[in-house]
């Protein structure tokens, strides 16, 4: 099972920025997470139990693959590979544990490289990563010197993947919780930076999401918002008829200008687009560690500028803004 003891142990310190919310977060987690009520959780737990005991001699949270190194035998590597494969599919990474390289579906390091260049220093910051997946970016934030990183994601399997990784990377200031942003305590106003990357388009109400993000931040805190956009000017928004790039749960894809307007109307200032990037086939692809379909299968085979549904191919913008 996923155990949050270390998180709550740290929150018991009255100086911890999340201290005032400990009880409320605990109540919420208890109301939504009943160990082993998900049919696959036993097999994920078994994968964790099969991880070999290895002693981490060094870690590197600052290079493209989040890395743990140490002495390891060939036998132990095989055991590690097998246990980690028990948590397939691996979507966000890459990771390198004792020379077992988890070549994830996404080169999340490419996104981090595009985004991190515009953030300023993360040193001593308290950070929230909404929709954190396996926690890859959370670990990169810790590598950049963050004080505390809280990642939230409703998908329990990602928490197990993080548990496996952090068993070796041992970043005890990074915590993943099985929460949606809607389930966070209202008006926490305790984070210096909030990331929402790849989440806004999954929300039926983008303004509610922007409000949730705003109230997690201290006044003057920084929003880092990454989401799918379309070409066009102000007042341009795509609402797909049904699926978008085969995804069922995609709702609003604004143009960059329209997105900036949303962010400012939601109560942020100094909003600016720092990056726009059309996802390349090399950035999101099937690998041994994610052997289902991937971007190539979601694009028009005759015209990679379009999705199979005929929409603009996935293009993502990153916006940085400040809470008023
Ligand atoms: N309401 C919600 N609250 C919190 N998380 C949510 C919610 N809805 C969906 N998610 C979670 O948001 C993540 C979106 S993926 C981005 C991962 C990472 N950030 C990345 O930038 O690579 C999308 C992509 O593939 O880019 C998933 O893990 C969902 O479970």
């Amino acid at each position: 099972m996923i155990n949050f003891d270390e998180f709550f142990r740290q929150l018991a310190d009255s100086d911890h920025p999340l201290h005032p919310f400990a009880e409320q977060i605990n109540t919420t987690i208890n109301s939504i997470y009943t160990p082993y009520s998900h049919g696959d959780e036993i097999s994920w737990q078994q994968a964790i139990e099969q991880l070999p005991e290895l002693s981490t001699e060094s870690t590197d949270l600052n290079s493209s693959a989040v890395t743990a190194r140490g002495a390891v035998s060939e036998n132990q590597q095989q055991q590690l590979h097998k246990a980690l494969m028990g948590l397939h599919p691996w979507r966000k990474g890459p990771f390198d544990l004792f020379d077992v390289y988890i070549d994830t579906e996404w080169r999340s390091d490419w996104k981090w490289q595009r985004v991190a260049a515009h953030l300023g220093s993360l040193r001593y910051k308290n950070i929230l990563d909404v929709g954190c997946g396996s926690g890859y970016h959370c670990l990169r934030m810790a590598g950049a010197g963050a004080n505390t990183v809280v990642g939230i994601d409703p998908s329990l399997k990602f928490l197990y993947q993080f548990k496996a990784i952090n068993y070796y990377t041992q970043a005890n200031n990074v915590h993943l919780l099985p929460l949606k942003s809607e389930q966070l305590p209202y008006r926490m106003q305790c984070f210096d930076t909030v990331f929402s990357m790849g989440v806004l388009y999954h929300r039926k109400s983008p303004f509610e999401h922007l409000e949730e993000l705003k109230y997690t931040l201290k006044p003057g805190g920084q929003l880092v918002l990454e989401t799918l956009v379309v070409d066009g000017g102000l007042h341009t928004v795509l609402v797909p008829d049904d699926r978008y790039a085969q995804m069922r749960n995609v709702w609003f894809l604004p143009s960059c200008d329209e997105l900036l307007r949303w962010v400012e109307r939601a109560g942020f200032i100094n909003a600016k687009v720092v990056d726009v990037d059309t996802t390349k086939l090399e950035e999101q692809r099937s690998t041994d560690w994610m052997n289902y379909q991937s971007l190539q299968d979601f694009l028009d085979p005759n015209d990679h500028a379009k999705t199979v549904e005929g929409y603009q191919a996935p293009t993502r913008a990153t916006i940085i803004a400040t809470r008023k």
Side-chain angles (χ1 to χ4, degrees):
M1 64 181 275
I2 301 285
N3 176 320
F4 306 98
D5 291 354
E6 176 58 19
F7 174 67
F8 288 111
R9 194 192 64 71
Q10 292 183 19
L11 262 56
D13 178 346
S14 58
D15 288 337
H16 195 287
L18 274 77
H19 173 77
F21 309 104
E23 208 176 305
Q24 211 180 332
I25 295 174
N26 195 15
T27 306
T28 308
I29 291 178
N30 287 332
S31 72
I32 57 180
Y33 174 54
T34 308
Y36 306 113
S37 58
H38 188 294
D40 293 330
E41 197 177 345
I42 287 185
S43 75
W44 303 335
Q45 179 62 32
Q46 281 166 349
I48 298 290
E49 283 162 14
Q50 283 161 14
L51 290 170
E53 255 184 59
L54 299 169
S55 114
T56 301
E57 284 159 21
S58 66
T59 61
D60 184 354
L61 308 183
N62 285 317
S63 58
S64 24
V66 163
T67 300
R69 294 187 203 90
V72 63
S73 69
E74 213 174 294
N75 235 353
Q76 287 170 319
Q77 270 182 334
Q78 281 167 8
Q79 198 186 336
L80 178 59
H81 185 280
K82 188 166 171 233
L84 293 169
M85 272 293 179
L87 296 170
H88 175 277
W90 285 84
R91 297 198 180 271
K92 308 291 176 174
F95 302 99
D96 181 348
L97 302 177
F98 299 84
D99 286 332
V100 173
Y101 185 81
I102 307 179
D103 188 12
T104 47
E105 177 189 17
W106 283 85
R107 289 292 308 262
S108 308
D109 51 319
W110 293 10
K111 182 183 290 193
W112 185 246
Q113 223 170 6
R114 286 194 296 268
V115 172
H118 306 283
L119 299 180
S121 171
L122 296 183
R123 191 155 286 279
Y124 309 126
K125 296 272 166 78
N126 297 311
I127 299 180
L128 174 67
D129 184 10
V130 172
C132 61
S134 62
Y136 172 85
H137 292 129
C138 297
L139 288 164
R140 296 297 305 264
M141 293 165 202
N147 184 37
T148 299
V149 184
V150 176
I152 59 168
D153 201 296
S155 174
L156 201 55
K157 187 165 197 177
F158 290 135
L159 270 68
Y160 272 90
Q161 292 183 339
F162 176 73
K163 190 172 175 178
I165 298 297
N166 210 32
Y167 183 61
Y168 300 113
T169 48
Q170 298 167 354
N172 74 354
N173 58 340
V174 180
H175 308 277
L176 261 60
L177 308 175
L179 301 177
K180 295 181 176 172
S181 47
E182 307 87 295
Q183 295 164 329
L184 286 169
Y186 188 55
R187 289 184 184 253
M188 294 179 86
Q189 309 195 89
C190 62
F191 291 102
D192 301 296
T193 307
V194 63
F195 287 80
S196 166
M197 303 197 288
V199 180
L200 187 81
Y201 55 85
H202 287 315
R203 294 296 300 274
K204 284 188 190 169
S205 173
F207 280 94
E208 279 178 13
H209 185 57
L210 291 172
E211 282 238 319
E212 287 155 15
L213 297 172
K214 181 175 74 175
Y215 288 128
T216 64
L217 286 172
K218 295 174 181 166
Q222 185 181 47
L223 166 72
V224 183
L225 177 69
E226 192 251 21
T227 193
L228 288 168
V229 291
V230 289
D231 292 342
L234 210 52
H235 306 142
T236 302
V237 183
L238 168 68
V239 179
D241 289 337
D242 185 18
R243 293 188 180 209
Y244 172 85
Q246 292 290 69
M247 288 182 282
R248 283 177 213 280
N249 52 352
V250 174
W251 298 96
F252 292 90
L253 279 66
S255 66
C256 286
D257 285 348
E258 184 64 7
L259 182 58
L260 282 173
R261 201 176 65 96
W262 291 2
V263 168
E264 286 185 342
R265 280 211 61 187
F268 292 91
I269 54 172
N270 303 328
K272 55 177 192 268
V273 177
V274 295
D275 185 74
V276 181
D277 185 79
T278 298
T279 309
K280 294 174 193 60
L281 291 177
E282 297 78 21
E283 182 168 355
Q284 185 192 5
R285 73 278 189 256
S286 309
T287 68
D288 288 348
W289 292 84
M290 200 303 292
N291 61 19
Y292 304 146
Q293 291 191 326
S294 191
L295 183 59
Q296 172 152 342
D297 308 289
F298 309 148
L299 297 180
D300 179 337
N302 301 313
D303 180 1
H304 281 174
K306 293 197 177 117
T307 68
V308 284
E309 301 86 3
Y311 300 118
Q312 182 180 334
T315 300
R316 287 163 180 263
T318 304
I319 285 193
I320 293 189
T322 306
R323 183 182 163 187
K324 231 189 273 189

